[in-house]
Amino acid sequence: NAGVTQTPKFQVLKTGQSMTLQCAQDMNHNSMYWYRQDPGMGLRLIYYSASEGTTDKGEVPNGYNVSRLNKREFSLRLESAAPSQTSVYFCASLMRAGGYYGYTFGSGTRLTVV
Amino acid sequence: EDQVTQSPEALRLQEGESSSLNCSYTVSGLRGLFWYRQDPGKGPEFLFTLYSAGEEKEKERLKATLTKKESFLHITAPKPEDSATYLCAVQADNNNDMRFGAGTRLTVKP
């Protein structure tokens, strides 16, 4: 099915460990985004990529890095995980077609850092 | 700085009891205001985009309206399957991303 695919769905890390969250979309969208969602705080933008080869910081970029590997894939890396990074992470791509203008989200990665 | 405030935080309705969710926003030039629905354990699902004050959009029991300061999501004769968290977001003219509110958690009891 067309859409945004995120892996893994769940992950538990120890403080200081590193990991990469993967995101891929098969809709040929230019812009892709990484958000984190915490209770009571809504979705907050970590990084985004307006097009292949470009990335920019969002509202909460500290402790994260990203790579836009190609037009389909946009990965998020935690180099040294901290308990404050416990959250649900969502990848999204921006669709503009036929009167539809909005994000398509993946199903999320639930990350716990202990 | 762009800001989005949603109210109430939570809303409990009986099946068939119509109500409205509010989204107040401040933005330096509005490109679009967005409504999403999010079910537990899932990613948000797109509902509507509104572009200018006075605009309205409908989908089944949902109707979204927009003024220069706020948007309302009206739910007419809700059913239990309408239970979800509803998220509002804005995009400014000079931004490539959206700013989200914290959401309204709607529960519809049969």
Side-chain angles (χ1 to χ4, degrees):
Chain A
N1 290 336
V4 178
T5 303
Q6 291 185 237
T7 56
K9 293 191 182 300
F10 301 94
Q11 184 72 48
V12 178
L13 290 179
K14 294 182 179 179
T15 298
Q17 286 185 318
S18 62
M19 80 162 294
T20 299
L21 282 63
Q22 306 288 352
C23 175
Q25 53 93 7
D26 57 4
M27 298 170 286
N28 203 36
H29 294 165
N30 286 318
S31 302
M32 298 183 72
Y33 306 80
W34 276 105
Y35 283 86
R36 61 178 288 174
Q37 187 174 39
D38 302 293
M41 299 192 72
L43 289 153
R44 292 182 293 167
L45 182 67
I46 305 170
Y47 271 93
Y48 69 96
S49 171
S51 61
E52 185 178 356
T54 69
T55 60
D56 285 285
K57 294 179 180 179
E59 183 183 357
V60 289
N62 292 344
Y64 305 95
N65 284 301
V66 290
S67 295
R68 184 73 183 267
L69 305 171
N70 48 55
K71 193 170 186 179
R72 289 188 65 248
E73 298 172 288
F74 187 38
S75 62
L76 178 71
R77 182 160 178 84
L78 287 70
E79 291 292 351
S80 179
S84 60
Q85 293 178 305
T86 293
S87 187
V88 181
Y89 292 85
F90 288 101
C91 178
S93 64
L94 182 62
M95 172 176 275
R96 322 168 196 237
Y100 180 107
Y101 179 70
Y103 285 159
T104 300
F105 283 90
S107 58
T109 295
R110 185 174 296 274
L111 175 66
T112 302
V113 183
V114 298
Chain B
E1 183 177 303
D2 303 338
Q3 288 192 334
V4 181
T5 303
Q6 292 188 246
S7 61
E9 290 185 12
L11 181 63
R12 296 170 64 92
L13 299 174
Q14 287 296 128
E15 183 172 2
E17 179 186 2
S18 301
S19 188
S20 297
L21 283 56
N22 178 263
C23 172
S24 298
Y25 67 92
T26 56
V27 64
S28 54
L30 181 69
R31 177 180 292 180
L33 184 138
F34 307 82
W35 284 97
Y36 294 85
R37 169 191 170 126
Q38 186 174 24
D39 293 303
K42 296 188 177 181
E45 177 185 344
F46 174 82
L47 291 174
F48 304 109
T49 304
L50 301 168
Y51 297 98
S52 58
E55 189 174 1
E56 299 181 351
K57 288 192 176 175
E58 291 187 63
K59 179 180 180 180
E60 296 180 355
R61 295 176 293 282
L62 300 177
K63 178 180 177 180
T65 62
L66 181 64
T67 72
K68 288 187 177 181
K69 294 184 178 181
E70 56 192 350
S71 176
F72 292 94
L73 185 65
H74 306 278
I75 303 176
T76 302
K79 298 181 178 181
E81 54 261 42
D82 294 321
S83 297
T85 296
Y86 291 85
L87 303 174
C88 173
V90 296
Q91 185 176 28
D93 276 336
N94 59 349
N95 281 352
N96 287 310
D97 63 280
M98 300 179 194
R99 179 65 62 97
F100 282 81
T104 293
R105 187 173 68 254
L106 174 67
T107 304
V108 182
K109 294 292 189 181

